[in-house]
Amino acid sequence: MMDGRELINIDGSVLEGGGQILRMALCYSVLMKTPVRIRKIRQGRQKGGLAAQHLAGVELLRDMCQGTLHGAFLGSTDIEFYPSRVMQGRFVGHIQTAGSISLLLQAALPIAIFGSGPIMLDLRGGTNAEMAPQIDFLTEIFRPNMERFGATFDFDLIRRGYFPKGGGHCNVSINPVHSLKPIQLTDVGTVKFCYGWSYVAGALPIKIAHDMCSGAKSVLNKICPNKVDIEVYKESTHMAPEGNCSGIILGCETSTGVLLGGSALGGRGKQSSQCGSAAAQEIESAILAGACADRYVQDMMIILMALADGRSRIRTELLTTHTKTAVYVTELMTKVKFNIIEGNGRNVIIECDGIGMRNQNI
């Protein structure tokens, strides 16, 4: 109770026990103006505590709100965070490894859209990393879904960064909004077309990207025959000056405007065609379930639903552990309640009456 406000204590080892609890708790701490103490940080991971990626994230959120942070250092399992007012301007999140830029952006976006003015995020680290959304998935699949709530961001990719060196760099610009709209997303409709990007970088041959594309098309052609367009390319040395990487990002649009995604990264010991088919199977799984949000967008929607002004309903595949964790932290920090309505055994409707957060600066 450093400044007179009661701390909310959060156990970072519950459910998925990873960095998501940390990111969401700090995000809500800023938005709700409630200090938090997070203990047992990332105890569900083989190597617990703050890694470089998480440390950069908590420092970024601290700077965005002029907050006070105690106990934040590499390996720390216990921090205290006291937020203040969300500012405007340029904020820096530099990960000194190939840690995910996408996860920095995920944590910062809800705060930025309720900022006191335009915010520019200068982010450096890994753009296409394991155990995190590829940055292209956030811009091409998550962003259109976010825009349903009435908020968006502009994205400028300067350089890509891959494991193990990182070195990726992007600038993200966000204009604040007064409030978020609730959404109704329950009718998947019929598939109109599928699309995507299959790429290689560095010394990897373009054949790998073609093989990933072929693997993806073998699945997607069953969903929408003759309506699959996947661009195959090799990243320029200007955009990816060092490091090897291969991957694929896929999208699917339906007659009701639903946008579903899938993605995969290549790597040693992975068959390229199987990477492509695995990414496509993520879309196929959502379509067969009658879902209107894929399994990776699913948990990203929770915070937007909780902040929106009214009741949101989204039909998704069965809840992932990440989504269950997001619901747990959200209910703890905001007091909203999520209702999970069982569907046909393969999907559920997530329902929530949002708190109707208002940006008093607009």
Side-chain angles (χ1 to χ4, degrees), residues 208-226:
I208 291 175
H210 283 290
D211 288 346
M212 285 191 293
C213 175
S214 296
K217 283 185 173 181
S218 70
V219 176
L220 295 179
N221 280 326
K222 294 185 293 183
I223 300 172
C224 52
N226 304 314

Side-chain angles (χ1 to χ4, degrees), residues 220-239:
L220 295 179
N221 280 326
K222 294 185 293 183
I223 300 172
C224 52
N226 304 314
K227 294 181 180 179
V228 180
D229 183 14
I230 300 174
E231 179 185 352
V232 176
Y233 70 98
K234 183 159 187 170
E235 198 68 76
S236 71
T237 54
H238 171 73
M239 184 61 71

Side-chain angles (χ1 to χ4, degrees), residues 165-223:
K165 291 186 177 181
H169 184 195
C170 67
N171 289 325
V172 184
S173 300
I174 307 103
N175 287 317
V177 299
H178 178 256
S179 61
L180 295 177
K181 301 178 295 188
I183 69 169
Q184 304 292 316
L185 200 57
T186 57
D187 179 9
V188 69
T190 57
V191 174
K192 288 172 58 181
F193 56 88
C194 296
Y195 56 94
W197 302 266
S198 182
Y199 67 89
V200 293
L204 299 181
I206 192 70
K207 182 181 184 302
I208 291 175
H210 283 290
D211 288 346
M212 285 191 293
C213 175
S214 296
K217 283 185 173 181
S218 70
V219 176
L220 295 179
N221 280 326
K222 294 185 293 183
I223 300 172

